[in-house]
Amino acid sequence: MVNKPSRQTDPLIGKDSWNIQLDSNGRLKHFLTIEGLGSEILSNILDTAESFANVNEQRVKKVPILRGKTIVNLFFEASTRTRTTFELAAKRLSADILNINISTSATSKGESLLDTLQNLQAMLCDMFIVRHSDSGAAHYIAGIVAPHISVINAGDGRHAHPTQAMLDMFTIRRKKGHDFGKLRVAIVGDILHSRVARSQIHALNILNTGQVRVIAPYTLLPTDIDDMGVTVFNDLRSGIRDVDVIIMLRLQKERMQGALLPSEHEYYSLYGLTEERLRAAKDDVIVMHPGPINRGVEIESRVADGNRSVILDQVTYGISVRMAIMSMVLGREPEQNEAEANP
Amino acid sequence: MDEIAKPDQLLEKLAADLEQLLDQRNIDDPLMVGIHTGGAWIATILHAKLGLSRPLATLDISFYRDDFSRIGMNPKVKPSSLPPQVEDKHIILVDDVLQTGRTIRAAMNEIFDYGRPASITLACLVDRSGRELPIQADVIGQHLHLQGNQHIKLNGPEPLGFIVT
């Protein structure tokens, strides 16, 4: 069982950075990264999400458990899917949710992040959902907010996107069953810039996946890839041979500095997932993508819209998984110091 | 404390009384719903004894509890398996022990989020003292007077047995 990662420090965030997300009883107080969590917590999230999937089939798609809680979507970086599914998840839990549009907020008038946070705290919020282009932003915020406030990382730089990884695990479990040990999973594309890939790799290893492969040119692999518990392939065709799950990543042009790739066209010709290439995988392979997809850059339209694609299922499951994480984080017995801070 | 009968005996009585009540009320195709976990065990047996044709449904009321902010998320929450068509159905809600009435309140709230039933009949194996809400069972295996600090719990599913502490 992989409960502790082999590396003791996260190169992007620093030593033992994952510890602050657990309270003294080992329950999630924040949800910042998959790294360092045990398989029990991950399974618990997936089981709870399964129950919330039922709620999303009710006529009234709403349960009252987070009534009276206030949640703030704090997105410093553009997002459609993640922000809206967090918003829907919060609403289906009966919480009140605010969307702060940073580009039109006081931050753009020169207010510091700390001042913005203190003002939101003064409005008696219970949870911040943070997306930021800097790695470690959510950890930083979790470290400075009042003790009764929880922080969920909705993507920080190239570091982590833990709720996306959990909805991907939920999708795999729904489509391929509970035993990850018999699965081969391949993650294809821009691993270097991908916070999604980092979180997925941690989650897959914690859940004891049979084999985790990454498929990318060397220029798009992080330097610490050999320590991440994956098998590296540079060739798509051999990399997806006999795999059960293929996760395609978006080519993150906005994060690329320098000549990492000759051209998009050449990337597609080497790493684009086409119907023809998909034949090397198992017959019942599923194709996943965290979105947004770039058709004709990393994936052929026929594959994205084909019968092995579960890309839109991922979006639907994202609501249940985010409901599970939010309710687990906010539904803890308050600890003594927190209770005093928020009587 | 009163002497408590064995669950099997109480189930016989519950099934007979329930059958009679359904006759009186002219309910011929009810939807039976057991509340996790003890109520679902009882409902499984009642459902078989009454030979109901409509499949048994179960309910986990964790998301509807009124003490969520005090006790937090139940880590063992199970999916509810209520069919989407509760609209205009006659529902028999089944639980093991009726005490405060809060579980039944939560269960009824959840049922109404699936649709508007024609009626709800409540069947409980044990009706113990300690009500905090105006909720009564229609069919009861046994009334039991317990002190406020006494607890009764159904163990199961095989064999069923009560534990009083």
Side-chain angles (χ1 to χ4, degrees):
Chain A
M1 196 160 75
V2 189
N3 272 334
K4 271 271 178 239
S6 55
R7 288 172 301 126
Q8 285 306 302
T9 56
D10 186 313
L12 290 169
I13 305 298
K15 193 170 186 301
D16 293 342
S17 54
W18 48 78
N19 285 345
I20 67 163
Q21 61 187 344
L22 299 177
D23 69 11
S24 57
N25 296 318
R27 290 170 309 186
L28 284 173
K29 171 171 168 44
H30 307 289
F31 193 56
L32 306 173
T33 177
I34 301 286
E35 197 170 11
L37 295 178
S39 59
E40 199 176 313
I41 285 187
L42 299 200
S43 299
N44 201 344
I45 291 172
L46 299 177
D47 293 341
T48 308
E50 201 64 61
S51 298
F52 280 120
N54 277 293
V55 173
N56 291 321
E57 286 158 17
Q58 286 176 203
R59 189 176 68 172
V60 179
K61 296 179 183 54
K62 220 173 173 69
V63 289
I65 51 173
L66 292 190
R67 215 156 44 133
K69 300 282 187 190
T70 306
I71 296 173
V72 182
N73 258 341
L74 209 53
F75 278 56
F76 296 86
E77 200 185 64
S79 162
T80 311
R81 243 171 318 279
T82 304
R83 190 183 58 72
T84 48
T85 49
F86 264 117
E87 185 173 347
L88 264 182
K91 287 178 170 168
R92 289 184 183 174
L93 294 168
S94 303
D96 297 308
I97 183 151
L98 304 174
N99 285 302
I100 308 286
N101 189 343
I102 299 297
S103 58
T104 58
S105 74
T107 311
S108 61
K109 296 181 189 168
E111 186 176 75
S112 77
L113 172 62
L114 191 57
D115 285 330
T116 305
L117 290 175
Q118 280 177 343
N119 276 276
L120 290 169
Q121 266 175 212
M123 297 175 201
L124 305 177
C125 297
D126 301 285
M127 175 182 273
F128 293 146
I129 295 163
V130 179
R131 151 127 355 153
H132 201 288
S133 56
D134 289 344
S135 300
H139 284 78
Y140 171 72
I141 291 172
I144 58 173
V145 290
H148 68 275
I149 291 184
S150 292
V151 176
I152 292 186
N153 184 3
D156 62 325
R158 58 169 80 169
H159 170 242
H161 193 349
T163 62
Q164 174 72 44
M166 288 315 295
L167 77 88
D168 293 332
M169 297 309 113
F170 187 81
T171 306
I172 294 172
R173 205 173 85 160
R174 270 264 171 127
K175 304 290 179 189
K176 294 288 172 194
H178 285 237
D179 184 8
F180 279 58
K182 60 181 171 56
L183 296 180
R184 288 195 197 100
V185 179
I187 306 173
V188 186
D190 184 359
I191 313 284
L192 174 64
H193 298 97
S194 178
R195 55 194 174 209
V196 173
R198 296 185 82 87
S199 288
Q200 285 168 340
I201 290 168
H202 289 306
L204 287 166
N205 280 328
I206 290 167
L207 293 172
N208 290 315
T209 306
Q211 190 185 33
V212 184
R213 302 179 179 179
V214 297
I215 307 171
Y218 278 116
T219 49
L220 293 181
L221 286 170
T223 50
D224 61 338
I225 192 70
D226 290 335
D227 301 329
M228 294 181 76
V230 296
T231 311
V232 176
F233 289 79
N234 298 118
D235 171 59
L236 180 67
R237 207 174 291 267
S238 56
I240 65 173
R241 187 167 297 143
D242 297 327
V243 297
D244 303 276
V245 177
I246 300 175
I247 301 173
M248 299 304 295
L249 299 172
R250 183 174 64 90
L251 203 56
Q252 303 198 26
K253 288 169 279 188
E254 76 276 17
R255 287 186 220 279
M256 287 201 187
Q257 294 141 355
L260 295 175
L261 286 175
S263 73
E264 270 179 24
H265 180 74
E266 184 160 339
Y267 181 79
Y268 186 66
S269 71
L270 288 172
Y271 292 98
L273 189 64
T274 61
E275 273 291 329
E276 189 269 322
R277 286 181 172 153
L278 197 51
R279 287 189 206 126
K282 283 193 181 164
D283 289 339
D284 62 348
V285 66
I286 56 170
V287 176
M288 299 168 54
H289 193 305
I293 61 174
N294 288 323
R295 292 167 187 266
V297 177
E298 68 262 351
I299 190 165
E300 186 184 32
S301 272
R302 281 199 297 165
V303 176
D305 305 327
N307 59 5
R308 279 168 290 193
S309 163
V310 295
I311 296 172
L312 293 176
D313 292 323
Q314 290 174 267
V315 179
T316 306
Y317 298 156
I319 302 171
S320 310
V321 171
R322 291 184 168 118
M323 286 170 82
I325 293 164
M326 286 166 140
S327 59
M328 285 169 71
V329 167
L330 286 180
R332 292 171 308 122
E333 230 171 307
E335 294 182 296
Q336 205 54 42
N337 59 344
E338 295 170 42
E340 281 160 14
N342 188 22
Chain B
M1 195 195 88
D2 318 332
E3 193 64 32
I4 181 167
K6 292 213 176 335
D8 294 350
Q9 298 168 342
L10 295 181
L11 271 162
E12 285 297 330
K13 177 178 183 306
L14 203 58
D17 290 357
L18 186 57
E19 204 149 27
Q20 198 182 356
L21 184 71
L22 294 178
D23 273 351
Q24 275 172 20
R25 293 184 178 177
N26 287 321
I27 296 172
D28 53 6
D29 191 19
L31 169 65
M32 186 172 275
V33 180
I35 300 175
H36 276 301
T37 307
W41 298 334
I42 304 293
T44 307
I45 299 167
L46 275 184
H47 188 269
K49 279 188 192 294
L50 268 61
L52 301 180
S53 53
R54 207 175 277 282
L56 177 68
T58 57
L59 211 54
D60 187 311
I61 54 114
S62 296
F63 300 146
Y64 288 80
R65 294 183 67 102
D66 58 7
D67 51 3
F68 177 78
S69 58
R70 274 191 284 160
I71 66 162
M73 191 73 179
N74 172 7
K76 294 274 177 280
V77 51
K78 295 183 179 61
S80 295
S81 72
L82 221 53
Q85 42 313 73
V86 303
E87 194 81 21
D88 295 331
K89 294 290 175 300
H90 291 281
I91 290 181
I92 306 168
L93 191 57
V94 180
D95 205 0
D96 49 359
V97 178
L98 176 61
Q99 183 180 358
T100 62
R102 288 176 193 272
T103 299
I104 304 303
R105 199 256 343 150
M108 289 198 290
N109 278 17
E110 178 158 1
I111 288 169
F112 276 80
D113 280 351
Y114 281 84
R116 180 182 184 274
S119 71
I120 299 180
T121 301
L122 178 59
C124 293
L125 206 54
V126 166
D127 178 359
R128 64 156 291 178
S129 47
R131 204 79 82 250
E132 293 168 3
L133 296 174
I135 283 173
Q136 265 48 263
D138 299 283
V139 190
I140 293 158
Q142 183 180 0
H143 288 279
L144 210 56
H145 187 80
L146 295 178
Q147 301 300 321
N149 58 2
Q150 286 184 298
H151 299 281
I152 178 165
K153 190 177 180 302
L154 183 68
N155 268 5
E158 196 56 57
L160 288 172
F162 283 111
I163 295 179
V164 180
T165 49

